[in-house]
Amino acid sequence: MDLRTAVVGLLVAAASLQAQAPARQALVDDLVTANHILANEGVVDGYGHVSVRNPANASRYFLARAGAPALVTAADIVEYDLDSNPASSVGNNTAAGYMERFIHGEIYKARPDVTAVVHCHCLDVIPFAATNTPLKPMYHMGYFIGEGVPVFDIRAAAGMTDMLVSTPALGQSLARVLGRRSAALMRGHGAVVVADSLHVVVAKAYYLNVNARMQLQAMQLHGDGVVGLSPEEAKKAAQTYERSWDAWKSRLPR
Amino acid sequence: MDLRTAVVGLLVAAASLQAQAPARQALVDDLVTANHILANEGVVDGYGHVSVRNPANASRYFLARAGAPALVTAADIVEYDLDSNPASSVGNNTAAGYMERFIHGEIYKARPDVTAVVHCHCLDVIPFAATNTPLKPMYHMGYFIGEGVPVFDIRAAAGMTDMLVSTPALGQSLARVLGRRSAALMRGHGAVVVADSLHVVVAKAYYLNVNARMQLQAMQLHGDGVVGLSPEEAKKAAQTYERSWDAWKSRLPR
Amino acid sequence: MDLRTAVVGLLVAAASLQAQAPARQALVDDLVTANHILANEGVVDGYGHVSVRNPANASRYFLARAGAPALVTAADIVEYDLDSNPASSVGNNTAAGYMERFIHGEIYKARPDVTAVVHCHCLDVIPFAATNTPLKPMYHMGYFIGEGVPVFDIRAAAGMTDMLVSTPALGQSLARVLGRRSAALMRGHGAVVVADSLHVVVAKAYYLNVNARMQLQAMQLHGDGVVGLSPEEAKKAAQTYERSWDAWKSRLPR
Amino acid sequence: MDLRTAVVGLLVAAASLQAQAPARQALVDDLVTANHILANEGVVDGYGHVSVRNPANASRYFLARAGAPALVTAADIVEYDLDSNPASSVGNNTAAGYMERFIHGEIYKARPDVTAVVHCHCLDVIPFAATNTPLKPMYHMGYFIGEGVPVFDIRAAAGMTDMLVSTPALGQSLARVLGRRSAALMRGHGAVVVADSLHVVVAKAYYLNVNARMQLQAMQLHGDGVVGLSPEEAKKAAQTYERSWDAWKSRLPR
């Protein structure tokens, strides 16, 4: 390769990076908004996290460094490779990462179709995991529950633990239980939710919880006589949830 | 018709339109407020809609173009004919309409007494639809529940669907199930509520949900021993809800 | 009576009125605050009302004219005699009064010890009235529930009605059911709560509702094994609730 | 002791006090924040209190004078000895103390490992105390519930009372029931929670209540089949809750 070719190649690469910069910034901003919405709507409290795959490089994902979702800013976003090691950094690369970031990395590895992941301690689903009560899709906003929502029990993978999915092996176990589905409950812990966009994953996490609350109410009325969506209805009722995102964004403080 | 007659006719028509304009604007403003109240009080989230019949032309109704109720402005309101085609427009006539606007148009056709319609995914009524548990009027604010609240099951009308009332035929089926009543539940979806004014329809949608929550609590105390209003009491206890509107309006953000 | 005596008498009366004016204004301001607290804490919504007896004249009480509690101002307060006719007025004497103001007047007649009255549609007590489930004092903040909380059924007094206590006779029936107690439920309607001060009546209405919610939860855990306060504990645990008032006042909007 | 020695000793003591002053002020500020967080997150209402042991003197603790937690300022903080007598004062030493401050003093005496104490009327735990239903750790955030949460019944210690832990003897009884654990329920009253830091005690009080709510829901799904954390998992899942504190602090009004 002569100098000229090398220089041209360098210029092309630089131009490509520059062209990607605005898209990257927009995605990071959307990820910050996703953090704030999840906190403001009570899907996460001080704990829980949301990530998005880098659309320009499918083997990278963006996730905030360890911190409360309500307080995340663009400077907190780190880019990880799929082994969940920091790759390049938007802000401070040396900041501590979430101990459970392997949830994200291992699911992105196992599921090329997944673009965004939420891990939450959604309060209304934990009683379902604690009693092995299958979730049912109660209305079209919870359509994806029709795929089934398996329960990940960390004991089956690793015996007695601190309940955290804090190693690649545990992330792989969780990804296996999740399979091709949109969500899995985690016994004594919470849930993981995936989707093909950041807006949709936020909404699925929100409605997973809402749907659980309604199902509990329905079971109190008539335990074994609850009729939600049929499997076929659930498939047909897929949502973009774009109006939810608009409404939630408009409700953020400041 | 001579020129003089034509000109006079034109002037009369223009004056009439001009006279209607403030009333029309006031109604549009009230419809915007209704959208915001329903969102702020949690009757709708990013989804759901509210319409009002044009008092100057009973074969037209006003409804926002597709969007989250919390964000609706006067510029978003469209005037529809009863086949739910855009008629004239307040704002941008070409904007996409709600896919389920046939709920509104077909009910206005079938019910000349109805002036306003709400469609919501009210969370507390969905468990009642999922278990076919009849709603009872628990207090005077839920008096209209004494008429009975039927359940519309879209399967009976159209088999396996995406759950949406997105055609004139489905709107007609829903209107038939609603009959002469104030409200109908929609299995796996939500509810539709009608009234003879915008203020009353907002309140009926709100109290339908509140009443369901109280009924579930009462059934937890004493399943088959719940005594709400008798049919005669329910008829006598009709409300204007005007103070609710005042209170809710004063709570809107900004 | 000579002129001198008359003039002196007039001056004395005027001085007395002037001396009372600041106290009266302070009481009216407190009554406005009570309205706002009850609305802000969800004890009342657009409906419900609170009154206070005139400490300078035991046969008069203050109550807002008909309107949503959240919006009451000092100018809305009217002074009523115990037959619930407007006596003198702080603001606009000709404004429509609450149709159910007889709840207040007839209780003040029957209960010289009562200084303040709340009528609310407290949502958590209505299921108890609907199922004739006796309320129990679950903790010291609900100590007064140890006196027993009877249920007023308007059918027993007047057959089929619009559920409203809108006549002196109905107010007397309600006062009879209330007896010497702090609170009575009203079937299909709500509750009435009384106390010897405005601050205490607001707190009793609030904690009546909170206590009902906790009792329902306890009964879901162990229906007939719920142990709250014993009668003697309930008597000893009387509260002033003054810190509640401070906290609620500090939370009011603006 | 000659004058020189006395003066040097005085100067050393003054320097030491001065060195402690910033740490003391920071702790007082953190205690004020703890009061506000507990109120803002609904763990306490107008009643309840939180204290912290003086790190510079283990036989002293800081607690606000009697008042609603939401309104506490640094000037309200009093330093108590372990008999709960005012020792020195940050603000106004003569202000009335909480009648139940013996809860704090007697626990600090009995538990050298305890650095902070919360007493609350947490609404979701009272039904568990009223029915003697053992609390279980439902998820890792409630890990400390795995130690067991005993119920203090004031009748066993003192017969018929006003329910208040208002004497040293009652404080000692409560401390005995608490034992080595993180929390004890108080029948007909609320709970006491302890920890080795102010941030952790606030979080334990919060999650004690959240965990109770989830356990009730799980028991409604499947009464005797609720599986939370195993004892070993609970031990391993200990939390610092530091992100919760960050998130709650950022949500405080103003």
Side-chain angles (χ1 to χ4, degrees):
Chain A
M1 185 166 72
D2 65 10
L3 182 67
R4 195 192 136 89
T5 309
V7 166
V8 166
L10 209 67
L11 288 171
V12 165
S16 160
L17 273 173
Q18 204 168 26
Q20 281 171 31
R24 187 184 172 105
Q25 188 58 47
L27 189 68
V28 164
D29 289 347
D30 234 24
L31 182 56
V32 170
T33 300
N35 273 277
H36 296 174
I37 287 175
L38 288 169
N40 200 48
E41 300 299 330
V43 180
V44 300
D45 55 10
Y47 293 82
H49 15 92
V50 51
S51 70
V52 64
R53 199 194 286 263
N54 185 344
N57 181 349
S59 62
R60 296 275 189 278
Y61 69 93
F62 297 106
L63 175 69
R65 58 174 171 174
L71 305 179
V72 165
T73 67
D76 297 315
I77 304 299
V78 180
E79 189 175 17
Y80 289 99
D81 64 25
L82 298 193
D83 291 329
S84 299
N85 296 312
S88 79
S89 120
V90 175
N92 182 358
N93 212 344
T94 66
Y98 288 115
M99 286 180 60
E100 296 191 295
R101 61 190 182 277
F102 307 100
I103 294 173
H104 303 263
E106 299 304 327
I107 288 175
Y108 288 125
K109 267 191 215 162
R111 290 279 299 270
D113 61 309
V114 164
T115 298
V117 177
V118 164
H119 167 55
C120 61
H121 307 162
C122 315
L123 299 180
D124 291 300
V125 304
I126 291 175
F128 282 79
T131 56
N132 253 313
T133 309
L135 282 169
K136 297 177 182 187
M138 295 296 295
Y139 72 153
H140 55 325
M141 306 308 277
Y143 78 95
F144 57 92
I145 296 167
E147 305 161 6
V149 181
V151 179
F152 170 72
D153 192 335
I154 197 168
R155 278 178 306 195
M160 291 297 113
T161 65
D162 61 1
M163 307 305 290
L164 299 183
V165 178
S166 53
T167 66
L170 284 168
Q172 287 154 25
S173 296
L174 174 57
R176 267 193 299 275
V177 169
L178 175 64
R180 300 283 101 199
R181 302 181 195 85
S182 291
L185 305 192
M186 300 160 77
R187 195 260 315 162
H189 189 155
V192 65
V193 185
V194 304
D196 61 1
S197 90
L198 199 46
H199 292 203
V200 171
V201 85
V202 165
K204 280 184 174 173
Y206 177 88
Y207 285 111
L208 179 70
N209 208 40
V210 166
N211 193 96
R213 199 151 59 237
M214 285 198 298
Q215 183 175 340
L216 172 59
Q217 290 178 3
M219 290 175 73
Q220 289 170 338
L221 289 172
H222 192 334
D224 46 4
V226 178
V227 178
L229 303 197
S230 72
E232 195 175 340
E233 287 173 329
K235 261 181 214 156
K236 291 188 165 175
Q239 302 288 321
T240 68
Y241 301 111
E242 205 51 39
R243 280 179 224 160
S244 299
W245 180 271
D246 294 343
W248 291 328
K249 192 170 175 184
S250 77
R251 286 156 56 103
L252 290 176
R254 252 137 310 165
Chain B
M1 183 166 74
D2 66 12
L3 183 68
R4 192 194 139 90
T5 309
V7 167
V8 166
L10 211 66
L11 288 172
V12 165
S16 161
L17 274 174
Q18 202 168 28
Q20 281 171 31
R24 185 183 173 108
Q25 188 59 46
L27 189 68
V28 164
D29 289 348
D30 234 25
L31 182 56
V32 170
T33 300
N35 272 276
H36 296 174
I37 287 175
L38 288 169
N40 199 48
E41 300 299 330
V43 180
V44 299
D45 54 10
Y47 293 81
H49 15 92
V50 51
S51 70
V52 63
R53 200 194 285 264
N54 184 345
N57 181 349
S59 60
R60 297 276 190 277
Y61 70 94
F62 296 106
L63 175 70
R65 58 176 171 171
L71 305 179
V72 164
T73 67
D76 295 316
I77 305 299
V78 180
E79 188 175 17
Y80 288 98
D81 64 26
L82 298 194
D83 291 329
S84 298
N85 297 311
S88 79
S89 120
V90 176
N92 181 358
N93 212 344
T94 66
Y98 288 116
M99 284 180 63
E100 296 192 294
R101 61 190 183 276
F102 306 101
I103 294 173
H104 303 263
E106 298 304 326
I107 288 175
Y108 288 126
K109 265 191 216 164
R111 291 280 300 271
D113 62 310
V114 164
T115 298
V117 176
V118 164
H119 167 55
C120 61
H121 306 161
C122 315
L123 299 180
D124 290 300
V125 304
I126 291 175
F128 282 81
T131 56
N132 253 314
T133 309
L135 282 168
K136 297 178 181 186
M138 295 295 296
Y139 73 151
H140 54 325
M141 306 307 278
Y143 78 93
F144 58 91
I145 296 168
E147 304 161 7
V149 181
V151 178
F152 171 71
D153 191 334
I154 197 168
R155 279 179 303 197
M160 291 297 112
T161 65
D162 61 2
M163 307 304 290
L164 300 181
V165 178
S166 52
T167 65
L170 284 168
Q172 287 155 24
S173 295
L174 174 58
R176 267 193 300 274
V177 169
L178 174 66
R180 299 286 100 199
R181 301 180 195 85
S182 291
L185 306 192
M186 299 159 79
R187 195 259 316 160
H189 189 153
V192 64
V193 185
V194 303
D196 61 1
S197 89
L198 199 46
H199 293 202
V200 171
V201 85
V202 165
K204 281 183 174 173
Y206 177 88
Y207 285 111
L208 179 70
N209 208 39
V210 167
N211 193 96
R213 199 152 59 237
M214 287 198 297
Q215 183 175 340
L216 172 60
Q217 291 179 1
M219 291 175 73
Q220 288 171 338
L221 289 171
H222 193 332
D224 47 3
V226 177
V227 178
L229 304 195
S230 71
E232 194 175 340
E233 288 173 329
K235 262 182 212 154
K236 290 188 165 174
Q239 302 288 321
T240 67
Y241 300 111
E242 204 53 39
R243 280 179 225 160
S244 298
W245 179 272
D246 293 345
W248 291 328
K249 193 171 173 182
S250 77
R251 287 157 55 101
L252 290 177
R254 249 137 317 163
Chain C
M1 183 166 70
D2 65 13
L3 183 65
R4 194 192 137 90
T5 310
V7 165
V8 166
L10 211 64
L11 288 172
V12 165
S16 160
L17 273 175
Q18 202 167 29
Q20 281 170 31
R24 184 184 175 107
Q25 188 58 44
L27 189 69
V28 164
D29 289 347
D30 235 24
L31 182 56
V32 170
T33 300
N35 272 276
H36 296 174
I37 286 175
L38 289 168
N40 200 46
E41 301 299 330
V43 180
V44 299
D45 55 9
Y47 293 81
H49 16 90
V50 51
S51 70
V52 64
R53 199 192 286 263
N54 185 346
N57 181 349
S59 61
R60 297 277 189 277
Y61 70 94
F62 296 105
L63 176 69
R65 59 176 170 170
L71 305 180
V72 164
T73 68
D76 295 316
I77 304 300
V78 180
E79 189 175 18
Y80 288 99
D81 64 26
L82 298 194
D83 292 329
S84 298
N85 296 312
S88 79
S89 119
V90 177
N92 181 357
N93 212 345
T94 64
Y98 288 116
M99 284 180 61
E100 296 192 294
R101 63 190 181 275
F102 306 101
I103 294 173
H104 303 264
E106 298 304 326
I107 288 176
Y108 287 125
K109 266 191 215 164
R111 291 280 299 272
D113 62 311
V114 165
T115 298
V117 177
V118 164
H119 167 54
C120 61
H121 306 160
C122 314
L123 298 180
D124 290 300
V125 303
I126 292 175
F128 282 80
T131 56
N132 253 313
T133 308
L135 282 169
K136 297 178 180 186
M138 295 296 296
Y139 73 152
H140 54 326
M141 305 309 276
Y143 79 93
F144 58 91
I145 295 168
E147 306 160 4
V149 181
V151 179
F152 171 71
D153 191 335
I154 197 168
R155 276 179 306 196
M160 290 298 113
T161 66
D162 60 2
M163 307 304 291
L164 300 181
V165 178
S166 53
T167 66
L170 284 168
Q172 288 155 24
S173 296
L174 174 58
R176 267 195 300 274
V177 169
L178 175 65
R180 299 283 102 198
R181 301 179 194 87
S182 290
L185 305 192
M186 300 160 78
R187 195 259 314 162
H189 190 155
V192 65
V193 185
V194 304
D196 61 3
S197 89
L198 199 46
H199 293 202
V200 171
V201 85
V202 165
K204 281 184 173 173
Y206 178 87
Y207 285 111
L208 178 69
N209 208 41
V210 167
N211 193 95
R213 199 152 57 237
M214 286 198 297
Q215 183 175 339
L216 172 59
Q217 291 178 2
M219 292 175 72
Q220 288 171 338
L221 288 171
H222 193 333
D224 46 4
V226 178
V227 178
L229 304 195
S230 73
E232 195 174 340
E233 287 173 329
K235 261 182 213 153
K236 290 188 165 174
Q239 303 289 321
T240 67
Y241 301 109
E242 203 54 38
R243 282 180 224 160
S244 298
W245 179 272
D246 293 344
W248 292 328
K249 193 170 174 183
S250 78
R251 288 156 55 101
L252 289 177
R254 251 139 315 165
Chain D
M1 185 167 67
D2 64 12
L3 183 65
R4 194 191 136 92
T5 310
V7 166
V8 166
L10 211 65
L11 287 172
V12 166
S16 160
L17 272 174
Q18 205 168 25
Q20 282 170 30
R24 185 185 174 105
Q25 188 59 45
L27 190 69
V28 164
D29 289 348
D30 233 25
L31 183 55
V32 170
T33 300
N35 272 277
H36 296 174
I37 286 175
L38 288 168
N40 200 47
E41 301 299 331
V43 180
V44 300
D45 55 9
Y47 294 83
H49 16 91
V50 51
S51 70
V52 65
R53 200 193 284 265
N54 185 345
N57 182 348
S59 61
R60 296 277 190 277
Y61 69 94
F62 297 106
L63 175 70
R65 60 175 168 171
L71 306 180
V72 165
T73 68
D76 296 316
I77 305 299
V78 181
E79 188 175 17
Y80 289 99
D81 65 25
L82 297 193
D83 293 329
S84 299
N85 296 313
S88 79
S89 119
V90 176
N92 181 356
N93 212 346
T94 65
Y98 288 116
M99 286 181 61
E100 296 191 295
R101 61 190 182 275
F102 306 102
I103 295 174
H104 303 264
E106 299 304 327
I107 288 175
Y108 287 125
K109 266 191 215 164
R111 291 279 299 271
D113 61 311
V114 164
T115 298
V117 177
V118 164
H119 167 54
C120 62
H121 306 160
C122 314
L123 299 181
D124 291 300
V125 304
I126 292 175
F128 282 79
T131 56
N132 253 313
T133 309
L135 282 168
K136 298 178 181 186
M138 295 295 295
Y139 71 153
H140 55 325
M141 306 308 278
Y143 77 95
F144 58 91
I145 295 168
E147 306 161 4
V149 182
V151 179
F152 170 72
D153 191 335
I154 198 168
R155 277 177 309 194
M160 291 298 114
T161 65
D162 61 2
M163 308 304 292
L164 300 182
V165 178
S166 53
T167 67
L170 284 167
Q172 288 154 23
S173 295
L174 174 57
R176 267 194 299 275
V177 169
L178 175 65
R180 300 283 102 199
R181 301 181 195 85
S182 292
L185 305 192
M186 301 160 77
R187 195 259 314 161
H189 189 156
V192 66
V193 185
V194 303
D196 62 2
S197 90
L198 198 46
H199 293 202
V200 172
V201 85
V202 165
K204 280 184 174 173
Y206 177 87
Y207 285 110
L208 179 69
N209 208 41
V210 167
N211 193 96
R213 200 152 58 237
M214 284 198 299
Q215 183 175 339
L216 172 59
Q217 291 178 3
M219 292 176 73
Q220 288 171 338
L221 288 171
H222 193 332
D224 46 4
V226 178
V227 178
L229 303 196
S230 73
E232 196 175 339
E233 287 173 329
K235 261 182 213 152
K236 292 189 164 173
Q239 302 289 321
T240 67
Y241 301 110
E242 204 52 37
R243 281 180 225 160
S244 298
W245 179 271
D246 293 343
W248 291 328
K249 192 171 175 183
S250 77
R251 286 156 57 101
L252 290 175
R254 252 137 312 163

